[in-house]
Amino acid sequence: MTIQARFLWGTADTYRASLLVRANAPLVDTKEGLVVLPQTARVPIWDGKLTMTLPASNGPTLATPIYYSVWEVMPSGRTFTIRVPSGVGDTVQQLHALEADEPYQQIPVPRLNSHTYNWMNR
């Protein structure tokens, strides 16, 4: 599923904001025996907009539903948890409409270098 959001503040030249997103638990597929460990993803926000794609939080082959912790890395940024529903296909959902009442789990800040993140590439 694709997730979009729009943030209203200054210009992209003033702030280089991003979102940190991390699954709260490993994703375990019972059908394929696949386990995906949580990793932190940094999603850049350009001109107040972002687009990201995440696997669904639930489904018939997942051992347990998973949630994603989200940290808005920007002035007055928030921390919250989202749940990405299954069965919605390739639709586009709004980030803040996916907020869940699960506790936020602290996201370790990833080490950034020229190989892992480049502000100049969009």
Side-chain angles (χ1 to χ4, degrees):
M1 169 194 321
T2 301
I3 300 170
Q4 293 182 335
R6 181 163 177 78
F7 297 90
L8 303 175
W9 76 84
T11 65
D13 296 331
T14 306
Y15 298 110
R16 291 210 167 136
S18 62
L19 232 60
L20 292 180
V21 181
R22 183 180 175 98
N24 289 355
L27 185 142
V28 180
D29 186 319
T30 57
K31 183 177 180 184
E32 300 293 325
L34 178 70
V35 176
V36 179
L37 298 176
Q39 293 186 17
T40 302
R42 183 179 290 268
V43 181
I45 299 171
W46 292 102
D47 298 325
K49 300 175 191 170
L50 73 84
T51 300
M52 65 180 163
T53 303
L54 291 174
S57 298
N58 62 352
T61 63
L62 292 181
T64 59
I66 59 170
Y67 294 86
Y68 296 91
S69 289
V70 179
W71 175 13
E72 298 173 339
V73 184
M74 65 183 75
S76 302
R78 303 179 311 127
T79 56
F80 54 95
T81 303
I82 62 171
R83 181 172 184 259
V84 181
S86 66
V88 293
D90 292 331
T91 62
V92 175
Q93 302 289 320
Q94 293 301 311
L95 175 66
H96 297 289
L98 300 174
E99 287 188 39
D101 288 333
E102 288 294 310
Y104 171 80
Q105 290 185 7
Q106 191 70 26
I107 297 175
V109 178
R111 248 187 111 138
L112 298 180
N113 60 43
S114 61
H115 298 290
T116 59
Y117 196 79
N118 184 344
W119 281 107
M120 303 313 290
N121 292 334
R122 292 188 191 197

